[in-house]
Amino acid sequence: MKTNLKWHGKMNFEAITESGHHLTLDASEEVGGENRGPRPTEALLAATGACSGIDIVDILRRMRLNVESFEMEVSGERAEEYPKRFTHVNIHYKLTGDLPEAKVRRAVDLSRDKYCTVSQSLNAEVTTSFEINGQKYE
């Protein structure tokens, strides 16, 4: 797999993925960017959530369960010293539908511990929590 990036001045880069998609990444104005796209670290958190979400939807579908809606809150804590890597990432999943807690927990655990390529590639502790129809589970 590969991605090509092209610099468009200041701190702005356009990524062209192997699948042909374009993604603009930029820095904040405070550090010389023009705020034309997400920061690379924001994109990394988004990719972590999307990767895990894809896993969970796929696993629940294989269990023949219907997800009505699905949202996530992904947060990250970074080290104070450079390279200021993420030291901790938390993903909180919000699902609705007729979804048994044990099966959702199994899907979350499988994504976190086995299937999510992005989270497994991070040098950070990844924790999860979820809620089903507004009921929170740890």
Side-chain angles (χ1 to χ4, degrees), residues 3-130:
T3 297
N4 294 317
L5 289 105
K6 183 176 181 181
W7 179 54
H8 289 288
K10 295 196 177 187
M11 302 289 183
N12 182 271
F13 287 85
E14 177 186 20
I16 302 141
T17 66
E18 192 171 70
S19 59
H21 296 280
H22 294 246
L23 175 66
T24 298
L25 300 159
D26 203 352
S28 68
E29 294 170 349
E30 292 83 33
V31 297
E34 296 179 300
N35 197 31
R36 290 179 158 183
R39 313 301 172 258
T41 49
E42 292 172 330
L44 182 61
L45 286 181
T48 303
C51 180
S52 182
I54 289 167
D55 290 341
I56 290 169
V57 167
D58 184 53
I59 292 165
L60 292 175
R61 281 185 180 162
R62 289 173 190 261
M63 293 178 180
R64 303 198 187 286
L65 295 171
N66 183 37
V67 177
E68 292 175 12
S69 69
F70 188 8
E71 296 179 16
M72 285 172 264
E73 296 170 0
V74 183
S75 59
E77 295 176 21
R78 294 176 66 189
E80 295 291 322
E81 301 296 320
Y82 284 98
K84 295 187 179 183
R85 70 175 183 84
F86 283 108
T87 57
H88 183 260
V89 173
N90 179 263
I91 309 171
H92 181 73
Y93 308 95
K94 297 179 179 183
L95 300 102
T96 62
D98 186 15
L99 303 168
E101 181 263 335
K103 290 188 177 190
V104 172
R105 182 176 305 283
R106 176 81 174 134
V108 168
D109 291 348
L110 282 170
S111 176
R112 183 192 60 237
D113 299 335
K114 183 174 183 180
Y115 293 119
C116 181
T117 302
V118 178
S119 67
Q120 290 296 316
S121 298
L122 294 174
N123 183 16
E125 175 189 17
V126 178
T127 59
T128 55
S129 59
F130 63 94

